[in-house]
Amino acid sequence: MVGCRLAALFACSCCVAASGAQILELTETRFAVHAEGLAIGTYDVDGSEGVTSAGTHSASAHIHVSETDPDLGEHYGIGSASFSWSVTTSGQTTTLSGGVGSLAESFSNGLDAWARAWSSLSHYFTVDAPAVGTLQSEGTYNSDLYIYDGTDYVPFYTGLNGSDQVAMDAGRYRWDSAVGEWVTGSASYSSGISFTVSVAPVPEPGTWLTLAVGAWAAWRKRSPSPS
């Protein structure tokens, strides 16, 4: 019971141990979304790319081309790609969440037909103080986290497909997520990634000591006196 009370008080303390602005600050996002396809002699392409500092953004690209040969019948190519993200803060925890997706489908009766689509995001952000990061990436491909070492961004946690909790120093980071598919003939493939990066400050050592003493005193006050 003592351990449970201490754990509960410590858990609550994490919400108040640090104060001020959000600990994760999104500085820049580089994005690309692209779709294209061919059906015999008909070709189409759609997409966009850019850089923004927006905390919330989404976009998509889509094409559907088709052509019918007098002897061999219909051929078509379909490409679709999309992305979205948002940054939210609850208490002392800031969360970057979003996703990327792609679909490529083509159908051929013997002549050229193909499609491709891809979507990518690179989020650049700063962590303002030592923190606990909860990383999650679920989907067809992996996501990667890099840290700036003063010269370049180097691997911090790469190949993530699942969830994990890591200690993060104050500094500059980059989170990468990307998917893409290419099909020819008669085939269809889709892929996607959904992700979250939640960051919360680590309490100062002095705060932990104060909380431990306070938790012990509260337990002693509630405990019955020996008879």
Side-chain angles (χ1 to χ4, degrees):
M1 288 297 294
V2 179
C4 292
R5 288 173 180 170
L6 289 174
L9 285 169
F10 286 173
C12 292
S13 73
C14 292
C15 298
V16 298
S19 60
Q22 60 188 35
I23 187 169
L24 182 155
E25 298 279 353
L26 183 63
T27 57
E28 179 180 283
T29 300
R30 301 179 183 180
F31 62 86
V33 61
H34 184 92
E36 62 181 307
L38 173 73
I40 309 178
T42 302
Y43 171 80
D44 196 12
V45 61
D46 185 31
S48 64
E49 59 183 284
V51 179
T52 180
S53 58
T56 300
H57 192 52
S58 63
S60 61
H62 181 76
I63 63 95
H64 184 174
V65 294
S66 64
E67 188 169 338
T68 300
D69 180 81
D71 300 317
L72 298 176
E74 182 187 23
H75 299 65
Y76 67 79
I78 299 172
S80 182
S82 62
F83 66 77
S84 65
W85 77 81
S86 63
V87 179
T88 57
T89 299
S90 176
Q92 295 299 312
T93 301
T94 301
T95 301
L96 166 67
S97 60
V100 290
S102 69
L103 164 69
E105 179 179 347
S106 64
F107 179 77
S108 171
N109 274 312
L111 299 177
D112 288 341
W114 57 261
R116 59 185 171 188
W118 71 82
S119 179
S120 66
L121 292 173
S122 290
H123 291 290
Y124 295 78
F125 61 88
T126 60
V127 173
D128 297 333
V132 176
T134 302
L135 312 178
Q136 183 173 12
S137 177
E138 303 285 351
T140 317
Y141 296 98
N142 302 327
S143 294
D144 302 307
L145 182 62
Y146 298 83
I147 187 170
Y148 190 71
D149 67 356
T151 303
D152 199 359
Y153 286 90
V154 297
F156 181 84
Y157 196 129
T158 58
L160 177 65
N161 197 330
S163 61
D164 205 355
Q165 193 171 75
V166 296
M168 300 177 69
D169 292 331
R172 296 161 57 186
Y173 293 84
R174 188 186 82 215
W175 176 266
D176 289 347
S177 294
V179 296
E181 300 297 337
W182 168 293
V183 296
T184 61
S186 298
S188 177
Y189 291 101
S190 62
S191 55
I193 295 174
S194 61
F195 62 83
T196 59
V197 181
S198 293
V199 180
V202 175
E204 296 292 335
T207 303
W208 284 112
L209 179 60
T210 301
L211 290 166
V213 172
W216 180 83
W219 174 77
R220 290 286 295 172
K221 185 176 181 180
R222 294 187 180 188
S223 299
S225 301
S227 55

